[in-house]
Amino acid sequence: MASLVAADAKQETAGGVSEGSIPVYSSLRPVHGHDAEELAAADARYEGLALEFLQAYGAPPVLFVRSPGRVNLIGEHIDYEGYSVLPMAIRQDTIVAVRKRPDDGSAPSLRIANVNSKKYPAVVFPADPSQEVDRGNHSWANYFVCGYKGVWEHLERLKASGKEDVEVPTPASLDVMVDGIVPTGAGLSSSAAIVCASAGAVMAAHGLNFSQTDMAELCCKCERHIGTQSGGMDQAISIMAKPGVALLIDFNPVRATDVALPEGGTFVIANSLTESNKAETAAVNYNMRVVECRLAAMVLGLRLGLPKQEVYAINTLGEIEDMLSAAAPGLGGEGPLPAVEAHLKPEPYVAEELEELLGEKLETIMKSSPTSLAVLAAAKHFALYKRAKHVFSEKERVYAFRDTAARAQSSSGASFSSDQVLEDLGQLMNESHASCSELYECSCKELEELVGVCRKNGAIGSRLTGAGWGGCTVSLVRDGHVAGFIESLKEDFYKSRVERGLIKEGDLESVVFASKPAGGAAIFRFDH
Ligand code: GLA
């Protein structure tokens, strides 16, 4: 097979991309061409994937879709409450190679394989968009099925909204090979990377190309089939990311605004080596927080004097903030935090107490959400005050971070100090971490140790990133210190773990690394 780098690049230059849709390229250069080494590595990876595909299915793939992981710089656990977040994509991504299999008379099926077949064995599913994702069996290929379902669900929604010209293609048999290099269970959105790349591959294989915002929304919705009530941050950044900038992402509807990062600082990602599997621990960690926030919003709604039936329909703290400011415009300047102080008690609530306040069984209020019912079955108490305080303070830090970063762009002249901008950003990151750790209680021993080691070794700011309960930290480090900083983490955090056999010395490059903002999802069709 010819080198993929050398393939004709006419599509990206001749405007083969319609405005706002997932870009279609005929060369790796637009995504991986920043330096020769990266381009050569990407070329080898795509060649290897194409070869594996050929060996597995006896024919080459027709196209590839890649979608990256992300690191969230600030704004943790607030996307599902309707608030803006500020992530950037990382270069590690998942690639899905696909072809439509010619009809051989048998029932259409999806053959899904992975280049790492030992860890991720091949699976066959029916080509049936209405199939359920088997939540009881946490198979890696379930993420593909999420993306698969998402494409048809989106088409059905379009039709239901009255778009008459929407043609729903007949589900074809697909051959699929996946190559993912986003570390799993690390808080870097390996799940969004595979869901987005899968949905993209299914979409493109059926001759469709949705807008980036539609893709971000549909991928967010369909990943919920896995069982986590996640917000839309991971899918939005994976689809919409742009090289060189972080994005401020707003929701309902999803929108992205570039946030240029100041010169002189680099973000370094370090893995605590504690795996955090969002889907498997959802009932006690992630979904538990979603339910706590909903309960906090409901209690605040009651205090606001809303009738009970309206209170039961409240889902997020974002909704309650809107109601608070409408009911008491004076609150506008102070935000919703005074209401939390006034109306929620700092101690955790037990279910019976909340049921008495709300005048209804919690199971009845949440009966339409099986994943919430699983939370209620496992939960002993609900820390409403702490969770609401985190959400309402964290959303302010996101805007403060954006505004601080903007200072570096707009300022010129003697009064401007880029070092002060970095210090201020670092301070916001540290405050975010404290809030995640103390109020949202989504940190863990290893993350606390790692954040401490990062700060001791010169990080201007350091925090857990992603859902937490394990996974990675992100630290802001002065450019000139990056290499020394990484070496000191190897010495102070990883050395003892290498000795204990938790990680191999040779694998350290993939657990602690500097990252520049990378680009988002892309479709590659190579001409041979
Ligand atoms: C996970 C979810 C996101 C977001 C983060 C926490 O990554 O998928 O939607 O809620 O956790 O900020």
Side-chain angles (χ1 to χ4, degrees):
M1 195 167 143
S3 163
L4 306 176
V5 175
D8 177 6
K10 66 180 175 300
Q11 262 172 303
E12 65 269 17
T13 48
V17 184
S18 57
E19 184 60 17
S21 56
I22 310 284
V24 185
Y25 298 122
S26 56
S27 147
L28 293 171
R29 223 175 271 283
V31 177
H32 297 286
H34 312 291
D35 74 72
E37 212 178 303
E38 183 191 333
L39 192 59
D43 196 29
R45 191 165 156 229
Y46 278 79
E47 289 278 0
L49 175 54
L51 196 62
E52 293 265 357
F53 193 103
L54 186 63
Q55 279 162 359
Y57 302 121
V62 168
L63 58 93
F64 302 77
V65 180
R66 62 86 60 174
S67 217
R70 62 98 188 93
V71 58
N72 189 21
L73 302 181
I74 199 153
E76 221 61 86
H77 285 283
I78 60 171
D79 56 347
Y80 49 80
E81 294 305 299
Y83 291 117
S84 310
V85 293
L86 214 156
M88 67 184 206
I90 55 176
R91 88 186 140 67
Q92 290 87 337
D93 62 5
T94 292
I95 314 169
V96 173
V98 67
R99 73 156 185 150
K100 252 182 171 175
R101 195 165 65 249
D103 187 357
D104 62 1
S106 57
S109 64
L110 312 172
R111 300 196 293 196
I112 307 163
N114 195 299
V115 291
N116 185 351
S117 58
K118 264 209 192 113
K119 194 163 174 198
Y120 304 115
V123 188
V124 181
F125 289 102
D128 170 11
S130 67
Q131 69 191 284
E132 294 294 326
V133 174
D134 181 1
R135 285 187 196 155
N137 159 28
H138 287 289
S139 157
W140 73 276
N142 284 354
Y143 290 100
F144 182 88
V145 181
C146 284
Y148 183 74
K149 287 173 72 64
V151 170
W152 268 273
E153 286 166 350
H154 178 64
L155 290 167
E156 292 304 335
R157 277 193 297 269
L158 286 180
K159 268 183 66 180
S161 72
K163 292 224 163 61
E164 278 155 18
D165 55 339
V166 175
E167 274 185 39
V168 180
T170 310
S173 283
L174 297 179
D175 287 338
V176 172
M177 180 72 70
V178 178
D179 177 4
I181 56 167
V182 184
T184 55
L188 299 176
S189 284
S190 59
S191 57
I194 183 171
V195 168
C196 295
S198 300
V202 172
M203 172 190 80
H206 287 86
L208 304 163
N209 197 352
F210 305 138
S211 72
Q212 288 184 326
T213 47
D214 279 3
M215 272 297 275
E217 307 248 14
L218 87 83
C219 289
C220 165
K221 291 196 178 105
C222 72
E223 193 174 325
R224 295 196 185 126
H225 289 299
I226 283 290
T228 38
Q229 301 181 24
S230 46
M233 163 169 70
D234 308 345
Q235 299 81 6
I237 188 72
S238 189
I239 298 285
M240 300 164 92
K242 292 189 205 155
V245 290
L247 295 182
L248 178 82
I249 297 183
D250 306 317
F251 300 98
N252 312 313
V254 70
R255 283 185 315 277
T257 315
D258 295 2
V259 176
L261 297 167
E263 304 273 303
T266 294
F267 291 99
V268 176
I269 297 165
N271 195 323
S272 70
L273 302 182
T274 301
E275 274 215 18
S276 158
N277 192 312
K278 213 169 54 210
E280 284 165 39
T281 60
V284 289
N285 290 339
Y286 194 91
N287 289 350
M288 168 67 173
R289 293 294 177 272
V290 178
V291 166
E292 287 180 304
C293 287
R294 181 167 179 210
L295 291 170
M298 285 186 190
V299 174
L300 289 172
L302 270 187
R303 301 298 190 214
L304 199 65
L306 288 184
K308 288 206 169 120
Q309 289 309 320
E310 280 181 39
V311 164
Y312 303 155
I314 294 175
N315 280 302
T316 65
L317 288 162
E319 288 167 44
I320 215 70
E321 183 181 2
D322 291 345
M323 291 179 198
L324 274 167
S325 25
L331 270 176
E334 293 173 37
L337 279 168
V340 174
E341 297 295 344
H343 300 306
L344 296 175
K345 63 169 177 130
E347 302 77 30
Y349 293 72
V350 292
E352 294 71 29
E353 209 177 350
L354 289 167
E355 289 174 346
E356 189 153 333
L357 278 174
L358 294 163
E360 186 55 280
K361 293 289 263 179
L362 299 185
E363 280 80 2
T364 309
I365 299 176
M366 305 206 177
K367 64 175 185 295
S368 63
S369 164
T371 48
S372 300
L373 292 176
V375 166
L376 296 178
K380 300 224 168 11
H381 50 249
F382 305 89
L384 308 191
Y385 169 90
K386 285 181 163 185
R387 310 307 182 231
K389 230 178 142 167
H390 165 76
V391 169
F392 289 139
S393 60
E394 182 76 351
K395 64 126 181 159
E396 294 301 333
R397 282 186 284 271
V398 172
Y399 298 120
F401 193 97
R402 177 206 50 195
D403 296 343
T404 305
R407 249 167 52 210
Q409 307 304 314
S410 59
S411 301
S412 53
S415 63
F416 164 66
S417 150
S418 62
D419 206 57
Q420 190 57 49
V421 168
L422 294 179
E423 290 287 345
D424 291 351
L425 294 177
Q427 173 71 19
L428 287 164
M429 292 172 71
N430 289 341
E431 286 168 10
S432 168
H433 181 78
S435 185
C436 285
S437 171
E438 290 153 27
L439 297 174
Y440 221 67
E441 296 175 288
C442 62
S443 186
C444 66
K445 196 163 90 297
E446 293 79 2
L447 281 170
E448 292 304 304
E449 181 190 342
L450 185 52
V451 160
V453 168
C454 290
R455 292 190 190 143
K456 185 188 111 205
N457 285 294
I460 313 169
S462 185
R463 57 181 296 275
L464 68 82
T465 182
W469 293 288
C472 289
T473 58
V474 57
S475 302
L476 179 57
V477 179
R478 286 188 181 80
D479 283 350
H481 291 170
V482 171
F485 177 76
I486 290 178
E487 281 316 305
S488 61
L489 296 200
K490 288 185 181 165
E491 187 60 29
D492 290 0
F493 188 81
Y494 293 108
K495 192 171 160 203
S496 63
R497 286 160 167 91
V498 170
E499 283 160 10
R500 277 188 276 149
L502 290 177
I503 177 89
K504 293 199 195 91
E505 177 113 44
D507 291 339
L508 285 182
E509 305 306 311
S510 64
V511 299
V512 52
F513 53 90
S515 196
K516 293 265 171 241
I523 300 169
F524 295 105
R525 287 175 184 274
F526 303 114
D527 304 326
H528 302 289

